Amino acid sequence: MEKLNFFGKDAKFEHVGLVVPSIDKAIKNIDTTTDLTQKVSIAFVSINGIKIELIEPLAGDSPVNQSLIKGQKLLHICFKTPDIEASIKEARNYGLHCIAKPIPAKAFDNNKIAWLYSRIYGLFELLEE
């Protein structure tokens, strides 16, 4: 099996992001976090040992709303990295482009996240440790 280090050798899988119309309909009585910057509510669950981020759009102008409308539930794969800027630079070597520069994210104790996109692989989230 070919090993690809899109985000550098120290990057590790963190979670998969799934868009849902309602977190409460997906899982009753779960703690959620509202992120007004991202215009989403989120909750984390584990499905057979894999960490899943459930993402609910807060309004029609939420960045994830179009995915929901199109029926695209799988939104992104997230990787944790010790140096988000170095990971963004490394990702360019694999044709991934940073579409949203690093910003603090409420759901991750204000650690920085960034969004990268590839026409081949789709959307990735980076989370700085």
Side-chain angles (χ1 to χ4, degrees):
M1 177 176 2
E2 182 72 23
K3 282 185 124 182
L4 302 174
N5 289 316
F6 283 2
F7 311 110
K9 63 180 178 59
D10 294 326
K12 304 286 185 238
F13 173 77
E14 163 64 21
H15 67 264
V16 173
L18 299 178
V19 180
V20 295
S22 167
I23 291 173
D24 190 52
K25 287 182 182 175
I27 307 284
K28 296 284 184 197
N29 302 319
I30 190 169
D31 290 333
T32 62
T33 300
T34 299
D35 186 332
L36 297 176
T37 302
Q38 302 288 321
K39 299 180 183 177
V40 295
S41 285
I42 63 168
F44 290 95
V45 297
S46 177
I47 300 176
N48 290 43
I50 300 294
K51 187 175 180 181
I52 306 292
E53 178 185 25
L54 300 176
I55 308 161
E56 175 185 340
L58 288 177
D61 64 342
S62 171
V64 300
N65 202 44
Q66 284 302 312
S67 294
L68 195 59
I69 290 169
K70 293 176 184 177
Q72 298 171 335
K73 306 292 186 178
L74 177 59
L75 184 64
H76 68 265
I77 299 172
C78 180
F79 287 85
K80 192 182 291 185
T81 177
D83 184 343
I84 201 166
E85 294 293 344
S87 290
I88 291 169
K89 186 176 179 181
E90 182 66 26
R92 288 187 199 125
N93 296 324
Y94 294 94
L96 284 98
H97 302 279
C98 186
I99 59 171
K101 295 186 187 247
I103 60 167
K106 185 177 178 183
F108 301 106
D109 297 322
N110 288 319
N111 288 342
K112 291 180 187 176
I113 62 166
W115 296 99
L116 290 86
Y117 182 77
S118 162
R119 288 185 183 168
I120 295 170
Y121 298 107
L123 187 64
F124 291 92
E125 179 181 28
L126 291 179
L127 168 62
E128 190 166 66
E129 293 181 283

